Amino acid sequence: MAKTHVTMKVNGAEVEGLVEPRTLLVHFIRENLQMTGTHIGCETTHCGACTVDIDGMSVKSCTMFAVQAQGSDITTVEGMANADGTLSALQEGFRMMHGLQCGFCTPGMIVRAHRLLKENPSPSEPEIRMGISGNICRCTGYQNIVRAIQYAAAKINGVEFQEAAE
Amino acid sequence: MNDLTPTREQREAALEGMGCKRKRVEDIRFTQGKGNYVDDVKLPGMLHGDFVRSPHPHARVKKIDDSEALKVPGVLAVITAETLKTVNLAWMPTLAGDVQMVLADGKVLFQNQEVAFVVATDRYAADDGINKVIVEYEPLPPLVDPFKSMDKDAPVLREDLVGKTSGAHGPRKHDNHIFEWTVGDKELTDAAFNKAEVKIKEMISYHRTHPSPLETCQCVCSFDKIKGELTIYGTFQAPHVIRTVVALIAKLPEQKIHVIAPDIGGGFGNKVGAYPGYICAAVASIVTGKPVKWVEDRIENLTATSFARDYHMTTEIAATRDGKVTGLRVHVLADHGAFDACADPSKWPAGFFNIVTGSYDFPTAHLAVDGVYTNKAPGGVAYRCSFRVTEAAYCIERAMDILAQKLKMDPAELRLKNFIKPEQFPYHSALGWEYDSGDYHTAMRKMMETTGYAALRKEQAEKREAFKRGETREVMGLGISFFTEIVGAGPSKNCDILGIAMFDSCEIRMHPTGAGIARMGTKSQGQGHETTWAQIIATEIGIPADNIMVEEGNTDTAPYGLGTYGSRSTPVAGAAIAMAARKIKAKAQMIAAYRLEVHEDDLEFDIDGFRVKGLPEKFMSMKDICWAAYNSVPPGMEPGLEAVSYYDPPNMTYPFGAYLCVMDIDVDTGVYKVRRFYALDDCGTRINPMIIEGQVHGGLTEAFAIAMGQEIRYDEVGNVVTGSFMDFFMPTAVETPHWETDFTVTPSPHHPIGAKGVGESPNVGGVPAFSNAVNDAFSFLGSTHIQMPHDFWRNWKAAKDLGAVA
C-alpha cells in the first residue's frame, strides 16, 4: 500500500514518518516513534489507555489515523514530566495517592487528567469522575485516581491538599 | 547517645517495613510511560501473527484455502491444524486434564475459535492475510443451554471423546458430560433434611463473565535454531509453569526455554492458562526462524480466552425453626464450554467450591457438581478468586438471606447465630477443609455498629410503608455478605498443577554494601510485589526496603515458583520470603557473634542489627554484617550472604470479611443508586495498608461490575452478543460507587508472618453484598431470588413481575 509522509510535533520535537493511510495514530506513535507509553486496551475508543493530547484536546489515538494528525501538536505520557525530569504534580499525585496498580491505564489517565486540569483547574469530585469517564481502569476502583487528581490540582494551585471527608 | 542518634522509632521508620504505607516503587516507571509490557517488546526482524476465527459456534471445517492469503504482500505463512500435526501440536493438554484443539481440527466448537494462524511482516499485513483465507464450513446444530447438554438428542460436541466412559475426574454419564464431583456425607445430609423443621430450596445462578484485564493476552516467541533455544515473552501469571508445559508438549529441554513475563497490565486469572496464540507463535517462530509476536485484540479476549463462573447452583438449607442451620445440599451444573480448560489444581474438578458451607457451622453437607460441554469458549478461570470460591460464597450468602426471609429473621442475626465460633478454630468443615483462624462475630458486629445497621433497617421499614402508601417509587435494599475465602494454594498434599506441587519460592542475595536482590517465583500483575516483598525483608533482616530490589518473571534467574493467582502470593510466597530472610538472619547472627566476640546466644536482634544482651553499646548493624559476610566470616564458614526458600504451606489461609451495601432502586426505571458500600476485611497481618486498601477498592469495583451488569451472553444459536466494551459492562468513574474500608486483624497461626492474602476477598464478598441488596429491596414485594446481573432493565422487569409497575 502506498505510503504517505507525515510530520507532526510530539512532546515538543518535530517528527516525521512514512505511513499507510490506514495506519492508526497509536501504531505510528508506538511502532514508528518507538514511544511505548501510549497503550492499546480495546481498539474501540472505550478504554482510554491510548489517550494522547492533540492540539489541546484529549484524543483516543487507537481510532484516529496518523495522517489525520498531520501538522498537529501532540503530547503523550512521555511528555508529562517536569522540564527537569522530575515527576509532574499529576504523576506525583498518582504515586502519592496510590492511583494505579498494574499501570496499564495510567498513561492515558494522566494525559487525560492533564487536559482536565487545564480546562478546569479546581474540579469537584463529580467533575473529575465525569472528566475521566472515557478512561477505564480495572485495578483501582477510581477512588484513588480521583484523589490523585485532587492532589495534583491542589499542588498546581499552590494550596494545601485536603482529603475530602468520608 | 547524643541528639543525632536515631531513636528506635526513626530506625524502624527508615526500614519502611511491614505495616508501613510505603509508596510503590513501580509507580516511578508506570507514571512516566516507562513500563515494559509484552507489546513493548520488539526484536529484530520480528513478525506478527493473527488468527482466522470461526463465525460459527459449531461447524465442520470442510476445507481451508490459503492460496490467496499467501499472495498478500507481507504474508509469509499460514499455519493450520495440518501444519501443527507435523510437529504433534494440533491438540494441547489443558490444566484441567482435558485436551484442547490449538487450531480447528476437523470442526469448530465455539464462535471465534482459532482456525488458522497467519504470519506476516506487520500486523496490518497479517490482518489482510486473515481476510483472504477461505474456510468452507458445514454448520452443525449448536448447543447453548447447559441444561440441555445431557439430553438424549443433544448434539455430540466432542467427537474425540465419543465412547469414553471416563475422563480425567472419573466416570462420564453422557457424551457431553465432563465429570461429576461429589463431596460430603449424603446419607447424613439427607437425614438432616428429612427431619428438618424448615427448608429452603433455590436455583441460584452465577452467570458467565470475563476478567478482561486492560492489557489483553499476548506473547513474543523467538526460536534460536543455532542454540536450539526458545525465548518467550508473555503475559504469564505463572511463568515457570508455562516453561514446564512448553518443555513437555514441545519436547524441548527445559533449560533451553527462557520464559520472561515483563510488566503485566492486569491478569485477574485471565493469564494463568495456555492459549493457542502461544503455541502458534512458537511454532511460527520455529517455522520462519524469526521472532513472532501475537497480540490478542479486545474482541478476541472477550470471546475466546477463558471466561469465568457459569455455575448453576441448586441450593438447599435445612434448619430449625429458631434459625440454626442443620444441613446444606448443593447441586451444581457447571458450563465449561467446548474444552475443560479450567485453571484449577489437578485434583479439584470444581476448584475449592466445597468451601460452600461458608462461615457457618453446618453439622453436615453434601455437594455434587456436574461439568458439561457446550458450544461456548472454553476455560473457567478463577477470576479474582481462588478457584470457584466466588461462586461458593455467592451461593451460601444468597441462600442464607433466603432462609432469613423464610424464618422472618434479620439476615445479620441469622448469620451471627450460625457463625463458626472463635473457640472452634482450627475448624473442620463438613466438606473437608480446616479453617486456620477467624473471629467472625467481632467482624460482623463491628460492621453493624460502624454502619448504624439497626438505624438503616428502621429507615428501610419506614420507606417500605411509604412505598405501600404510594408516597415513593423507590425501594431500599440492605445487602449483607459475610464471606470466608480459602486462599494460598497450596499445600502440596492438596494442590498441584499438572503434577507440579503448588509451593512457592524466594531467593535473597545480600551484597557487600548492604543492598540486596530478591528473586521470586511469583509474578505481579499490579499487586505491587516490588514494594511489599521488600517490606517483608526489611522487617525480617533490618535492611531498608529501598535497598532491596525485587525481581520477578524471568525463569532463568528466579527460583521455580507456581506464580500469582488465587491470592496465593502473600500466603505462599510471602512465607517463602520470610523463611529465606530468616536463613539470612541466622547466618548474619553467626557472623555478628564472631565479630563481636560473643556466643550467638548472647545476641538479640534489634530492628536493624544484632546487639549483645545486657551490653547495648555492643551492636553490629546488618549493613556492616553484609560487608563482613564478604571479608571476615568465622573460620570454616562459606563467605556470602544469600538464601533460597521453597515454601510448601501446611494449610490454606482463610481471610474473611463483613460487607454491607445500601442501595435504592427506582421501580419505574430500574435505576439503582449505591448509597453506601462498607467493606471490613480481615486478611491477618497487614503488610502495606495502602496497597491492601487499593486491592479492596479494585476488587469491589469488579464485584460491582459483575453483580450489576457485566455478563458474557450468548444468543440461542451460539453467537456471543457481548464481544466488546460496547456491550460488556465496564464501570467507569461515573457509575462506580464510593468505597468505605475497614479491618480487623486475626493472624494466620501457621503463616510465618501471620498474613492471609486479600486481593480477591472484595470480589468474593462484594458480589453477594450487591445481589443481596437488590434482592432485599424487592423481598417485601414477595420475591425470594432474582438472578444476576442486576442491570436497570432486569430491576425494572423484577419490579414489573412483582406487580410494582403497571
Side-chain angles (χ1 to χ4, degrees):
Chain A
M1 200 174 279
K3 292 195 172 177
T4 304
H5 183 237
V6 290
T7 58
M8 59 193 83
K9 193 187 263 187
V10 177
N11 300 326
E14 296 291 342
V15 299
E16 60 175 340
L18 282 175
V19 295
E20 292 181 13
R22 63 179 176 173
T23 301
L24 296 169
L25 178 60
V26 70
H27 287 143
F28 177 70
I29 293 169
R30 289 181 55 81
E31 309 296 332
N32 296 52
L33 304 183
Q34 304 273 309
M35 295 166 72
T36 55
T38 307
H39 297 147
I40 303 169
C42 71
E43 295 149 288
T44 50
T45 323
H46 284 90
C47 82
C50 66
T51 305
V52 296
D53 198 85
I54 305 183
D55 297 332
M57 290 209 315
S58 302
V59 175
K60 310 278 177 78
S61 63
C62 76
T63 35
M64 177 172 173
F65 295 119
V67 290
Q68 291 176 287
Q70 168 65 33
S72 60
D73 187 349
I74 297 179
T75 308
T76 71
V77 69
E78 286 91 344
M80 283 285 137
N82 294 325
D84 63 358
T86 55
L87 293 187
S88 67
L90 258 173
Q91 290 169 316
E92 187 183 297
F94 271 74
R95 180 161 191 245
M96 296 303 288
M97 297 296 115
H98 192 32
L100 66 149
Q101 290 181 29
C102 79
F104 199 76
C105 75
T106 309
M109 207 60 95
I110 286 175
V111 172
R112 171 58 202 144
H114 165 78
R115 183 52 48 196
L116 173 69
L117 292 183
K118 291 269 184 208
E119 291 163 351
N120 181 357
S122 302
S124 65
E125 174 167 348
E127 284 170 340
I128 294 174
R129 285 188 178 258
M130 186 55 82
I132 58 167
S133 63
N135 293 65
I136 289 170
C137 169
R138 290 291 283 154
C139 300
T140 70
Y142 301 109
Q143 205 152 309
N144 288 344
I145 294 177
V146 172
R147 291 167 68 221
I149 296 169
Q150 288 170 332
Y151 174 100
K155 188 159 185 190
I156 292 165
N157 296 330
V159 299
E160 204 179 322
F161 171 65
Q162 283 187 329
E163 290 265 12
E166 288 260 312
Chain B
M1 296 269 278
N2 57 42
D3 288 349
L4 295 175
T5 308
T7 63
R8 195 179 167 80
E9 288 72 28
Q10 286 169 331
R11 283 165 60 212
E12 242 163 13
L15 296 179
E16 292 199 281
M18 286 192 278
C20 162
K21 294 181 180 178
R22 182 181 187 224
K23 299 290 177 283
R24 300 200 330 164
V25 294
E26 294 90 338
D27 298 353
I28 305 287
R29 63 178 188 275
F30 290 154
T31 55
Q32 300 183 80
K34 297 294 183 193
N36 181 35
Y37 301 90
V38 173
D39 195 33
D40 303 340
V41 173
K42 295 180 168 76
L43 302 179
M46 189 173 74
L47 306 174
H48 296 261
D50 204 351
F51 281 112
V52 176
R53 292 176 180 273
S54 168
H56 301 281
H58 194 197
R60 221 165 281 292
V61 178
K62 308 286 282 182
K63 193 179 162 198
I64 301 174
D65 179 358
D66 63 8
S67 55
E68 288 302 311
L70 288 167
K71 291 178 195 161
V72 172
V75 171
L76 300 173
V78 178
I79 292 172
T80 64
E82 297 309 310
T83 327
L84 295 179
K85 279 178 187 171
T86 63
V87 283
N88 206 22
L89 285 175
W91 290 66
M92 62 180 180
T94 73
L95 295 179
D98 197 356
V99 288
Q100 177 178 353
M101 291 175 201
V102 174
L103 290 168
D105 185 13
K107 74 172 190 172
V108 289
L109 287 163
F110 62 96
Q111 191 176 55
N112 275 0
Q113 185 178 339
E114 298 83 358
V115 175
F117 191 69
V118 173
V119 188
T121 47
D122 68 62
R123 59 182 81 198
Y124 287 75
D127 194 58
D128 288 341
I130 63 174
N131 289 314
K132 293 286 181 186
V133 175
I134 300 160
V135 185
E136 209 179 295
Y137 297 99
E138 177 195 327
L140 296 167
L143 174 58
V144 182
D145 183 351
F147 289 93
K148 295 180 180 162
S149 64
M150 290 201 284
D151 285 357
K152 227 174 163 183
D153 57 351
V156 176
L157 305 190
R158 290 289 298 277
E159 287 167 5
D160 58 307
L161 299 176
V162 168
K164 285 197 178 165
T165 53
S166 71
H169 303 290
R172 299 170 72 223
K173 300 179 217 171
H174 184 281
D175 281 332
N176 294 328
H177 185 241
I178 310 171
F179 65 83
E180 180 183 17
W181 184 47
T182 58
V183 200
D185 192 325
K186 189 171 186 313
E187 218 168 287
L188 206 60
T189 306
D190 288 345
F193 275 86
N194 288 339
K195 61 177 184 211
E197 293 169 358
V198 181
K199 286 183 260 193
I200 62 130
K201 181 175 185 175
E202 193 74 51
M203 214 292 285
I204 298 166
S205 273
Y206 199 139
H207 57 288
R208 180 176 275 235
T209 185
H210 195 279
S212 35
L214 215 46
E215 178 203 41
T216 57
C217 297
Q218 35 204 279
C219 70
V220 179
C221 295
S222 179
F223 184 68
D224 182 328
K225 276 188 181 169
I226 309 292
K227 293 183 185 164
E229 294 182 16
L230 178 65
T231 303
I232 309 176
Y233 299 83
T235 45
F236 303 135
Q237 292 184 226
H240 281 100
V241 179
I242 292 284
R243 187 184 70 188
T244 302
V245 169
V246 172
L248 290 172
I249 66 179
K251 307 274 188 299
L252 280 170
E254 196 165 348
Q255 79 278 15
K256 292 197 171 189
I257 303 166
H258 316 287
V259 175
I260 299 164
D263 289 326
I264 296 184
F268 316 119
N270 196 204
K271 295 167 179 170
V272 175
Y275 296 117
Y278 307 156
I279 309 283
C280 289
V283 171
S285 180
I286 292 167
V287 169
T288 62
K290 299 262 179 74
V292 177
K293 179 182 275 187
W294 167 67
V295 177
E296 183 187 62
D297 71 25
R298 179 55 54 187
I299 293 171
E300 294 175 303
N301 182 254
L302 279 170
T303 60
T305 61
S306 291
F307 73 94
R309 328 297 191 228
D310 221 339
Y311 261 34
H312 307 278
M313 309 170 285
T314 304
T315 313
E316 297 170 88
I317 296 180
T320 60
R321 244 184 301 276
D322 63 350
K324 187 87 190 74
V325 296
T326 55
L328 177 71
R329 202 155 55 185
V330 183
H331 176 257
V332 181
L333 181 70
D335 184 344
H336 285 245
F339 307 96
D340 187 18
C342 285
D344 293 325
S346 297
K347 75 176 199 195
W348 307 100
F352 301 157
F353 188 84
N354 55 338
I355 189 84
V356 69
T357 50
S359 316
Y360 312 106
D361 188 15
F362 278 93
T364 179
H366 185 253
L367 162 70
V369 185
D370 276 302
V372 296
Y373 292 117
T374 56
N375 286 120
K376 294 178 190 152
V381 295
Y383 167 20
R384 206 163 184 147
C385 78
S386 193
F387 315 115
R388 305 290 185 181
V389 177
T390 45
E391 291 92 325
Y394 182 64
C395 174
I396 189 65
E397 288 305 288
R398 221 31 305 285
M400 288 301 275
D401 261 27
I402 294 166
L403 176 64
Q405 190 181 347
K406 177 144 190 170
L407 292 165
K408 297 192 169 55
M409 260 180 97
D410 184 280
E413 290 305 319
L414 178 70
R415 284 172 171 82
L416 283 165
K417 185 163 193 148
N418 287 290
F419 277 152
I420 300 158
K421 296 179 181 70
E423 61 270 22
Q424 286 177 281
F425 292 94
Y427 171 80
H428 294 267
S429 80
L431 292 177
W433 295 110
E434 185 191 291
Y435 296 16
D436 59 348
S437 64
D439 183 353
Y440 301 165
H441 294 82
T442 300
M444 186 74 162
R445 292 205 174 102
K446 187 173 183 187
M447 180 275 274
M448 292 168 76
E449 278 160 30
T450 314
T451 57
Y453 179 74
L456 286 166
R457 278 286 176 214
K458 193 160 167 276
E459 182 193 344
Q460 182 189 42
E462 286 161 8
K463 278 196 106 172
R464 285 178 171 177
E465 290 310 312
F467 184 89
K468 286 179 194 162
R469 291 193 301 268
E471 291 164 10
T472 176
R473 298 294 289 157
E474 249 182 16
V475 291
M476 174 180 169
L478 290 181
I480 292 177
S481 94
F482 196 100
F483 64 90
T484 297
E485 255 262 56
I486 171 170
V487 303
S492 57
K493 63 179 186 287
N494 295 124
C495 301
D496 70 279
I497 284 186
L498 294 175
I500 307 164
M502 289 171 74
F503 55 84
D504 226 292
S505 61
C506 170
E507 178 200 87
I508 302 172
R509 288 188 185 179
M510 296 310 299
H511 309 320
T513 54
I517 183 166
R519 292 191 167 109
M520 308 289 308
T522 46
K523 179 62 217 171
S524 172
Q525 312 120 41
Q527 296 92 336
H529 290 176
E530 288 169 54
T531 303
T532 51
W533 293 162
Q535 288 182 262
I536 299 176
I537 296 169
T539 296
E540 288 287 339
I541 67 169
I543 289 287
D546 276 350
N547 288 359
I548 304 290
M549 187 170 90
V550 173
E551 190 184 271
E552 295 182 321
N554 185 336
T555 55
D556 285 351
T557 53
Y560 203 107
L562 275 283
T564 294
Y565 45 87
S567 273
R568 67 187 300 280
S569 291
T570 297
V572 190
I577 297 165
M579 299 313 274
R582 286 172 194 182
K583 287 183 191 177
I584 298 244
K585 196 167 153 186
K587 185 170 179 182
Q589 187 164 358
M590 288 191 260
I591 296 167
Y594 175 68
R595 301 281 297 152
L596 292 167
E597 299 179 327
V598 293
H599 189 274
E600 268 174 68
D601 294 345
D602 295 330
L603 290 176
E604 60 189 356
F605 188 71
D606 179 19
I607 301 174
D608 50 8
F610 284 95
R611 191 178 299 286
V612 179
K613 290 177 194 167
L615 288 171
E617 69 286 357
K618 287 199 80 176
F619 176 80
M620 191 173 184
S621 71
M622 273 303 295
K623 188 169 187 254
D624 290 341
I625 296 170
C626 287
W627 186 263
Y630 291 89
N631 60 35
S632 52
V633 291
M637 178 187 276
E638 279 183 31
L641 193 55
E642 54 188 63
V644 58
S645 169
Y646 286 82
Y647 187 79
D648 181 5
N651 189 7
M652 308 275 184
T653 59
Y654 295 78
F656 55 92
Y659 290 5
L660 181 72
C661 174
V662 185
M663 194 186 292
D664 297 313
I665 303 170
D666 181 317
V667 293
D668 294 314
T669 59
V671 172
Y672 56 81
K673 286 194 292 266
V674 178
R675 203 198 304 169
R676 274 185 87 176
F677 198 103
Y678 170 93
L680 179 148
D681 275 283
D682 191 320
C683 59
T685 303
R686 293 156 64 83
I687 298 165
N688 184 326
M690 177 190 82
I691 286 182
I692 291 173
E693 189 179 87
Q695 288 276 301
V696 172
H697 287 183
L700 289 174
T701 306
E702 293 192 344
F704 165 68
I706 293 166
M708 305 312 290
Q710 191 175 80
E711 180 182 20
I712 292 289
R713 208 165 58 244
Y714 288 79
D715 68 12
E716 65 280 7
V717 288
N719 298 303
V720 197
V721 294
T722 47
S724 79
F725 286 168
M726 187 82 86
D727 313 294
F728 185 73
F729 175 48
M730 275 282 138
T732 75
V734 172
E735 52 272 356
T736 301
H738 179 84
W739 310 116
E740 297 169 48
T741 57
D742 203 347
F743 63 95
T744 55
V745 177
T746 312
S748 170
H750 65 75
H751 189 280
I753 59 172
K756 288 184 168 188
V758 76
E760 299 164 340
S761 292
N763 194 15
V764 170
V767 171
F770 283 110
S771 185
N772 280 347
V774 174
N775 276 288
D776 185 59
F778 288 117
S779 63
F780 78 113
L781 298 171
S783 75
T784 53
H785 178 67
I786 301 161
Q787 303 288 8
M788 287 194 292
H790 305 290
D791 54 24
F792 297 163
W793 183 82
R794 283 169 198 248
N795 287 343
W796 170 82
K797 180 84 167 41
K800 191 170 167 57
D801 291 347
L802 293 166
V805 180

